[in-house]
Amino acid sequence: MLSIQFIIILLLSSVAFSLKIATSLQWIEHTPQPYAIKNFYKGSTSATLTSGGVANLGSDKSVDLAANAETQGLKQYASHKNIRLIYMICEASYRIVANKKSGIKDLKDLKGKKIGTIPGTSAGVFISRMMNSVGVKEYTTVSGNVCMKAPCGSGTFPAMMSGKQIDAFGVWEPAVELGAKALGDDAVIFQNGSIYREMYALYTTTDKLNDPAKRKDIVEFVKALNRTLDVFNNKPESVYQFVANEVGSDAKVIADVWEDHKWSGRWGDDLLDLLVDEDKYLATQDKRASATKADLEKFLDTSIIEEISGTQSK
Ligand SMILES: *[C@@H]1O[C@H](CO)[C@@H](O)[C@H](O)[C@H]1NC(C)=O
Ligand SMILES: *[C@@H]1O[C@H](CO)[C@@H](O)[C@H](O)[C@H]1NC(C)=O
């Protein structure tokens, strides 16, 4: 019979040695990770998701991986130069929904209006980019909460819009979808993925990449993610309910916003320039120096993807 001490040691070591991943557990973009762990991950230890993000890589040595939008990645890279972006999980084309009753037909009609968003996040960057694209600087941003499922309570953007506290809002899904549904025919949508799209990525540190045992499990996790994205891209109807359960939403709403999410698994040549540009904006906001292009080139590490491409048969 196993002694209780032995069982405790076993439990402790399995926690200590498991692949620890810090991620928001609330957003659609994070869901390939639980799916990958449940269905495909074959590392030397278990993999566990903990609530958090890329900031935890800098503050907690037990965290091996983290997932977040590029915005948080850049903010952390500014003071933790050992952080690396290693895999692109999702590119999400955010949307603004506006109320036609506020006299809004075009994006530039948001001049002088109240726009709901979450400052200091990718949603804040999105609003700034969209408004810059039409040369409008005069508008007020209003903070609020997202909503994952109707009915949306007070303090959430869809409720604030129905209550006329804001004229429009822009944030990640499915809040925009729920806001649009609440407005019905009065809703007008603005979206342009080349002006802004969220780059929801997987991060680690050079220390983890240089640790051979850890690196092996990181490779296994990315392989599992790659198989997951295949399912997310090619059999989406098989995962709507899973995704809805993970984030506390409805499968129907998840299906409706699916096309705004690209489960890319890799990044294009334009990513570096997008990051250079975004970091300039964030540096001003955070009152720090912006990273150079050469510096941000180091932030992007393709070695894990290359390793997988070399070893995976399909
Ligand atoms: C998106 O923005 C780009 C860059 O401003 C512009 O060239 C393009 O026409 C826009 N696309 C749409 C569909 O509005
Ligand atoms: C991921 O899987 C796809 C097939 O779904 C494959 O074509 C692609 O090369 C894989 N990517 C990597 C980085 O291994």
Side-chain angles (χ1 to χ4, degrees), residues 199-248:
M199 302 278 191
Y200 188 91
L202 187 70
Y203 305 85
T204 187
T205 62
T206 49
D207 310 82
K208 302 287 178 181
L209 289 171
N210 292 335
D211 171 343
K214 229 7 129 181
R215 188 182 174 98
K216 252 181 123 179
D217 281 346
I218 292 173
V219 167
E220 287 307 317
F221 186 66
V222 173
K223 272 189 196 169
L225 276 180
N226 187 39
R227 293 183 65 187
T228 299
L229 295 200
D230 190 28
V231 179
F232 273 46
N233 280 311
N234 299 315
K235 291 200 189 78
E237 38 327 303
S238 73
V239 301
Y240 294 150
Q241 192 60 57
F242 172 86
V243 171
N245 291 348
E246 287 292 319
V247 302

Side-chain angles (χ1 to χ4, degrees), residues 283-301:
T284 313
Q285 300 268 306
D286 296 344
K287 301 186 174 54
R288 60 168 170 86
S290 59
T292 62
K293 188 166 178 171
D295 196 9
L296 287 171
E297 222 164 348
K298 283 188 231 144
F299 177 51
L300 302 180
D301 187 315

Side-chain angles (χ1 to χ4, degrees), residues 133 191-195:
S133 76
Q191 179 181 36
N192 187 327
S194 58
I195 293 172

Side-chain angles (χ1 to χ4, degrees), residues 71-284:
T71 307
Q72 305 309 325
L74 288 170
K75 278 170 172 269
Q76 291 302 318
Y77 186 63
S79 50
H80 299 98
K81 294 294 178 192
N82 64 338
I83 292 178
R84 294 291 178 269
L85 187 161
I86 59 167
Y87 189 72
M88 191 57 66
I89 298 174
C90 182
E91 291 174 48
S93 232
Y94 287 177
R95 302 184 296 167
I96 295 176
V97 56
N99 191 346
K100 284 185 194 163
K101 287 237 167 77
S102 297
I104 300 158
K105 276 202 214 97
D106 293 318
L107 191 54
K108 59 177 175 5
D109 298 332
L110 286 173
K111 185 173 177 174
K113 304 292 187 195
K114 294 199 189 88
I115 308 175
T117 192
I118 305 178
T121 70
S122 52
V125 175
F126 165 62
I127 294 298
S128 151
R129 283 272 176 96
M130 290 293 274
M131 299 313 288
N132 272 344
S133 76
V134 287
V136 173
K137 292 197 169 57
E138 309 80 12
Y139 59 93
T140 312
T141 57
V142 182
S143 297
N145 297 318
V146 300
C147 173
M148 302 304 288
K149 185 180 175 143
C152 296
S154 74
T156 65
F157 292 124
M160 288 164 76
M161 189 136 92
S162 300
K164 308 244 167 26
Q165 290 158 265
I166 49 178
D167 304 294
F169 72 89
V171 71
W172 46 88
E173 300 293 343
V176 174
E177 180 68 21
L178 295 168
K181 281 202 164 80
L183 284 184
D185 289 343
D186 288 331
V188 52
I189 300 274
F190 306 110
Q191 179 181 36
N192 187 327
S194 58
I195 293 172
Y196 183 78
R197 61 185 186 278
E198 177 203 28
M199 302 278 191
Y200 188 91
L202 187 70
Y203 305 85
T204 187
T205 62
T206 49
D207 310 82
K208 302 287 178 181
L209 289 171
N210 292 335
D211 171 343
K214 229 7 129 181
R215 188 182 174 98
K216 252 181 123 179
D217 281 346
I218 292 173
V219 167
E220 287 307 317
F221 186 66
V222 173
K223 272 189 196 169
L225 276 180
N226 187 39
R227 293 183 65 187
T228 299
L229 295 200
D230 190 28
V231 179
F232 273 46
N233 280 311
N234 299 315
K235 291 200 189 78
E237 38 327 303
S238 73
V239 301
Y240 294 150
Q241 192 60 57
F242 172 86
V243 171
N245 291 348
E246 287 292 319
V247 302
S249 190
D250 292 313
K252 165 82 175 71
V253 174
I254 297 298
D256 288 343
V257 300
W258 201 254
E259 63 173 14
D260 301 310
H261 300 81
K262 204 174 138 218
W263 308 100
S264 42
R266 53 191 66 224
W267 58 84
D269 293 337
D270 62 340
L271 179 63
L272 185 56
D273 286 334
L274 288 173
L275 292 180
V276 171
D277 207 48
E278 182 168 338
D279 198 62
K280 277 194 196 123
Y281 168 81
L282 294 173
T284 313

Side-chain angles (χ1 to χ4, degrees), residues 226 230 266 305 308-309 312 314:
N226 187 39
D230 190 28
R266 53 191 66 224
I305 306 176
I308 287 167
S309 307
Q312 232 171 14
K314 65 165 267 196

